[in-house]
Amino acid sequence: DDYRGDVAAFYFDYVAEALNANALDQVARTSIDFNPVFQSLVLHAIDVERDGASSDRLASASITLARRETAFDTSAQANGDVSALIVLDDVRPGDRVRFRYSIRGSNPILAGVRHDSYPMAWTVPILARHVRVLYPPGTDLMVRGEGTEAPPIRDGDGWRGVDVAGRDVAAVRAEEDTPSWIPMLPSIEVSDRRDWRDVVEWARALYPTDAAIP
């Protein structure tokens, strides 16, 4: 994630391998959610590696935009999110499928308030996991670990942030009937430092007090 410019940019590089035929359906398709009101989606590349050779599948992929409103069933609210549904043909066991894409833009109602959580493990094994979060130099950052050690804040050429990686990450086995508010995946949280006064000032504009109360 890159917060150094006027528009936040989120870059994803995702690789999955189908070890058997049962996993083909998960590997050969993916869904990318974004809100077209304030975000744009850029598909950089879709590649399939087979027997050491890589082939470009971006042009031949089936890509459909669908407004599914998955939150509507539980909250009765429509948020305008759109899902880019991507399906690949001719994916076989042993293939490695790589999706690279960016989402640019963030919800303007947050007015620059930034807080993100990044899982460092998943319910399936992960060969390699890399998270990089960039802020402008000198930003006062807060980093917290949930179920894992908080990584150090680093300073690079033109950025301050977090750069953390892991390899051969074991799958997390979640217990059945675990309450939804219990965090099951080890994760790190990154934000610029704020206190409750900052929260009040952010929210004040959402609740104007100079209007007559009916």
Side-chain angles (χ1 to χ4, degrees), residues 26 87 100 107 153:
Q26 300 179 22
V87 181
R100 283 174 283 175
N107 195 334
I153 297 173

Side-chain angles (χ1 to χ4, degrees), residues 145-195:
E146 179 70 56
T148 187
E149 184 178 355
I153 297 173
R154 302 181 182 275
D155 291 294
D157 185 12
W159 60 271
R160 162 171 277 197
V162 169
D163 193 334
V164 57
R167 291 193 62 86
D168 299 323
V169 183
V172 175
R173 305 296 182 185
E175 297 183 13
E176 294 185 1
D177 301 322
T178 301
S180 59
W181 61 86
I182 299 297
M184 297 300 299
L185 301 176
S187 60
I188 59 172
E189 298 180 0
V190 183
S191 71
D192 47 351
R193 187 176 298 275
R194 298 177 184 272
D195 56 24

